[in-house]
Amino acid sequence: MTKIAVFASGSGSNFQAMIDAVEAGNLTAEIALLVCDKPGAYAEKRAEEAAIPIFSFSPKTYSGKAAFEQAILTELQRHGVEWVVLAGYMRLIGPTLLKAYEGRIMNIHPSLLPAFPGLDAIGQAFDARVKVSGVTIHFVDEGMDTGPIIAQEPVRIEENDTREDVQHNIQAVEHRLYPQTIQQVINNGGGA
Ligand code: GAR
């Protein structure tokens, strides 16, 4: 079974969608590790409930990114992780992990990239009053929300949608599209 690690910083609803997809037999992978840079984040509770090992760390207790990424890498290797899946991990991946997992790190972003990269993409789209935003899944490179696009799906924003409606509609697409896309990438062995 292909072993993946999920990186999260927050609520982990996408992480939960992957746990559910594995349990339903729709994602034939083992989630071997949760990596979390915010000790106490709700994603950790989800991992505990699913009996998934957790590597939880505080970046500020390390001398810098190279040091904490080295610690992450040690854990990934110890658990035999083959693919890294970012799910709301609000941090740029540095050279240590990029080199070790070249072409094997995916990210999900709540917009149709290259539109609205960075923080609060849903709020950015809402404030810009665009009629269509969406979801992008891409391979990770050294940039912020850059890297080759694997999958995209549009989400319409209706005239009287609230910000919460937009968030709900985008996350519903994320929760379906991410497990499905991870499965495809794993099946293809790298090139989506
Ligand atoms: C998701 O909407 C994801 O697309 C976004 O963070 C949210 C995490 O939600 N990621 C980014 O903005 C990356 N730039 P979750 O913790 O409930 O899965």
Side-chain angles (χ1 to χ4, degrees):
M1 189 79 82
T2 306
K3 290 190 177 190
I4 66 175
V6 179
F7 286 29
S9 304
S11 134
S13 70
N14 279 284
F15 173 45
Q16 186 68 51
M18 291 170 217
I19 294 171
D20 294 346
V22 169
E23 276 171 11
N26 295 328
L27 175 55
T28 53
E30 178 189 337
I31 306 175
L33 187 67
L34 172 74
V35 173
C36 181
D37 64 339
K38 290 260 162 56
Y42 195 68
E44 294 186 351
K45 187 144 183 69
R46 299 181 193 273
E48 277 161 23
E49 270 162 25
I52 293 168
I54 304 172
F55 178 60
S56 177
F57 70 101
S58 275
K60 60 177 186 295
T61 63
Y62 291 83
S63 57
K65 184 174 297 222
F68 68 71
E69 286 203 343
Q70 189 53 53
I72 294 172
L73 184 55
T74 301
E75 287 299 309
L76 294 175
Q77 288 170 341
R78 195 164 72 83
H79 288 275
V81 169
E82 297 156 80
W83 290 90
V84 169
V85 171
L86 309 184
Y89 181 71
M90 302 314 257
R91 215 169 261 288
L92 284 180
I93 300 295
T96 305
L97 288 176
L98 280 175
K99 209 160 136 211
Y101 282 88
E102 196 181 351
R104 288 179 168 262
I105 308 178
M106 285 171 258
N107 182 42
I108 190 162
H109 185 76
S111 75
L112 292 177
L113 289 171
F116 310 124
L119 290 176
D120 191 21
I122 294 172
Q124 290 185 54
F126 185 80
D127 292 343
R129 299 175 159 272
V130 293
K131 301 282 183 204
V132 181
S133 189
V135 174
T136 302
I137 296 162
H138 63 95
F139 288 113
V140 171
D141 63 12
E142 61 286 343
M144 163 139 46
D145 300 321
T146 56
I149 290 172
I150 306 166
Q152 287 188 304
E153 190 169 314
V155 175
R156 283 197 61 81
I157 301 178
E158 305 296 343
E159 197 68 39
N160 44 16
D161 276 352
T162 63
R163 195 178 281 246
E164 289 68 38
D165 293 332
V166 178
Q167 166 136 2
H168 175 268
N169 294 341
I170 285 187
Q171 287 225 304
V173 170
E174 289 193 326
H175 297 161
R176 173 174 44 76
L177 191 64
Y178 211 5
Q180 187 183 312
T181 304
I182 294 165
Q183 181 71 67
Q184 282 165 7
V185 170
I186 287 172
N187 290 349
N188 290 348

